[in-house]
Amino acid sequence: MTPQSRLRPQAVLLAALLPLTTSVCAQPTAADSELRVNGYTQVGVSRALLSDGNQNWNDQYLRAHWQYGATLGLNAEVSRQNHFGDRGVFVGAGFTRVFDERWYATAAAGTSSGGFFLPRFRTDVFLHRKLLPAANLDASVGLGYYRAKDGHQDNVLHLGAAYYFENAPVIAEGGLRFNRSNPGGVTANRAFGALTLGRHQHSQLTLRMEAGREAYQLLGSDKTISDFSSKEASVNWRHWITRDAGISLRAERYTNPSYNRRGGEFAVFADY
């Protein structure tokens, strides 16, 4: 989920909320009238080991981003996921629209075939505002909707911010997620923080922590856990081998009262 070098990498917090790649487009210029196209493609595989007798996870995905001119970005993803002994395919798409030098919006939606654990439908919409004289504080508010295949529905409010240090290649991010799940009217709120070190087209290291409540989680077609706490930590290293291509390595650990999960991901990407 990495935008082009001139786009401020990882500015859009929607990437923490959807399995879609979302980028911040460059600032509008007179050249916006030209239909210039650039972007990137990433292909990856991941595997996670689960405790307490749960079957391990195996995923494969293809993600792409296209930027048209200076004000429009499009994203797409298709992933094949095997979780808890069942498998399915998720397909999603999103876009970014820049209104002016301070305001932009993002939206994404996705659906799936197979896989009891995958959403029947989900969507998120965000509005972003760049603050401070240098426009290096990106504040966002978003709304989300998630419909599971067992009938559960989530309505979500997202609040987030990302601060870009002016004199160092450092990005600090934080966010809150307020979730209301039905049936049952279960409230499940979460918070996350992330720190990214390094420069685009060289190497970037991202450390991320997330904790809070979850309303429910499907562990099987007839097995559900609900209203519980969980924590997740991850580290991601993204390295450019050439100016326009590289690799991404990710490790994560997730815990809740019912099971633990340890996993890793390997991906290759190409900018164009």
Side-chain angles (χ1 to χ4, degrees):
M1 302 182 181
T2 303
Q4 301 305 303
S5 59
R6 62 179 179 280
L7 305 185
R8 289 190 167 179
Q10 300 173 337
V12 181
L13 302 185
L14 181 60
L17 310 166
L18 269 182
L20 300 177
T21 309
T22 309
S23 308
V24 181
C25 293
Q27 294 301 319
T29 68
D32 186 42
S33 59
E34 301 177 14
L35 189 59
R36 300 168 301 166
V37 181
N38 54 48
Y40 71 91
T41 300
Q42 179 165 315
V43 180
V45 296
S46 65
R47 178 173 172 80
L49 306 179
L50 278 64
S51 67
D52 296 273
N54 293 288
Q55 294 194 47
N56 298 330
W57 295 7
N58 292 281
D59 299 346
Q60 305 86 40
Y61 68 83
L62 169 65
R63 296 172 183 153
H65 167 77
W66 302 271
Q67 185 179 322
Y68 295 85
T71 61
L72 179 63
L74 301 178
N75 313 285
E77 173 180 347
V78 58
S79 61
R80 181 178 182 273
Q81 304 179 30
N82 189 332
H83 295 187
F84 301 113
D86 196 13
R87 66 181 58 182
V89 175
F90 175 86
V91 178
F95 73 91
T96 300
R97 179 66 181 178
V98 176
F99 303 117
D100 57 35
E101 294 184 354
R102 295 281 180 167
W103 291 95
Y104 68 96
T106 65
T111 187
S112 66
S113 174
F116 67 83
F117 53 89
L118 288 169
R120 187 175 302 279
F121 176 74
R122 69 172 301 163
T123 185
D124 291 89
V125 178
F126 282 77
L127 180 63
H128 295 254
R129 167 72 171 172
K130 296 180 181 180
L131 305 173
L132 303 181
N136 60 324
L137 176 61
D138 187 322
S140 64
V141 58
L143 297 175
Y145 173 77
Y146 184 104
R147 183 175 182 85
K149 291 178 178 176
D150 70 343
H152 279 89
Q153 300 180 57
D154 288 359
N155 293 283
V156 187
L157 170 65
H158 304 287
L159 299 176
Y163 181 79
Y164 297 79
F165 288 78
E166 295 185 68
N167 300 315
V170 179
I171 306 170
E173 299 179 63
L176 299 172
R177 181 176 187 264
F178 304 95
N179 189 96
R180 183 74 170 177
S181 180
N182 285 295
V186 181
T187 299
N189 303 327
R190 297 181 71 78
F192 83 90
L195 188 68
T196 298
L197 310 172
R199 299 184 185 279
H200 184 80
Q201 293 186 323
H202 295 280
S203 288
Q204 289 181 317
L205 181 69
T206 299
L207 308 174
R208 191 179 189 278
M209 289 286 296
E210 179 177 329
R213 306 288 298 180
E214 294 187 52
Y216 68 93
Q217 186 179 136
L218 299 174
L219 306 186
S221 57
D222 58 354
K223 183 179 180 182
T224 305
I225 55 177
S226 60
D227 196 13
F228 59 94
S229 62
S230 66
K231 298 178 181 179
E232 184 171 1
S234 66
V235 56
N236 189 93
W237 180 60
R238 194 172 184 85
H239 178 67
W240 280 257
I241 298 174
T242 70
R243 178 179 173 80
D244 298 320
I247 62 172
S248 177
L249 300 174
R250 183 173 184 270
E252 68 172 6
R253 179 175 175 81
Y254 167 90
T255 62
N256 69 35
S258 298
Y259 72 90
N260 300 327
R261 186 179 76 238
R262 294 177 291 111
E265 178 183 301
F266 172 77
V268 295
F269 62 87
D271 300 334
Y272 50 86

